[in-house]
Amino acid sequence: MTFSVIGCQKANFLLSCFAVAKHIKHHVRTLQMVVLSGPSSDVEWVPNTDVYENDTSFVVRMEVAGVTRDDIQITLSDRHLIVQGHRPDPHRTNRCRFRQMEIDYGTFERRLALPRTVDNSHAKAYYRHGFLMIELPKAGQAKHTTVRLALEQE
């Protein structure tokens, strides 16, 4: 009997820890919106993003499930990558009561600083399985250009 009570207490403690961690993550993402997009922006969320490097390029992988290709704008300018878009909320038009809501909807923006060795003129972007992938080839010398990327068909 004592073991099951202790086990329940540990389980409740772990659930409480997960709830606190989730709450902290939400506040960190809110802070990211202010820092990355500016306080006067109408940005409602910031997509989760991975950036990694291989021998020939830098790769940006952004989680934007539910966003259509037409609702994504990608701009490369000197040393900055700016990805903007909108994910519509299909449930806001209907009256419903949420039991749990974790998916962000509305306008998003993500700004990333890039190394000087990115060749903007040969960058590629594509959208697959809910992820936006942007390949930024490495260049020998820095070139200062502004490029608007179009999403390629897969």
Side-chain angles (χ1 to χ4, degrees), residues 98-122:
F98 284 97
R99 299 284 184 167
Q100 182 171 331
M101 186 172 181
E102 295 181 4
I103 300 172
D104 296 309
Y105 295 97
T107 303
F108 68 87
E109 181 176 287
R110 189 69 192 251
R111 295 172 179 260
L112 299 170
L114 301 173
R116 292 194 183 277
T117 58
V118 169
D119 181 3
N120 291 355
S121 61
H122 291 95

Side-chain angles (χ1 to χ4, degrees), residues 1-54:
M1 183 89 173
T2 305
F3 180 74
S4 64
V5 171
I6 292 172
C8 288
Q9 288 174 345
K10 286 182 180 179
N12 287 336
F13 175 74
L14 287 175
L15 289 174
S16 296
C17 290
F18 286 126
V20 169
K22 187 175 166 184
H23 189 68
I24 290 171
K25 182 179 178 183
H26 170 75
H27 287 294
V28 167
R29 292 186 75 195
T30 302
L31 182 60
Q32 284 177 331
M33 286 191 303
V34 172
V35 171
L36 297 175
S37 303
S40 63
S41 177
D42 62 346
V43 172
E44 298 173 86
W45 63 284
V46 177
N48 292 325
T49 303
D50 293 337
V51 180
Y52 57 92
E53 175 181 2
N54 58 35

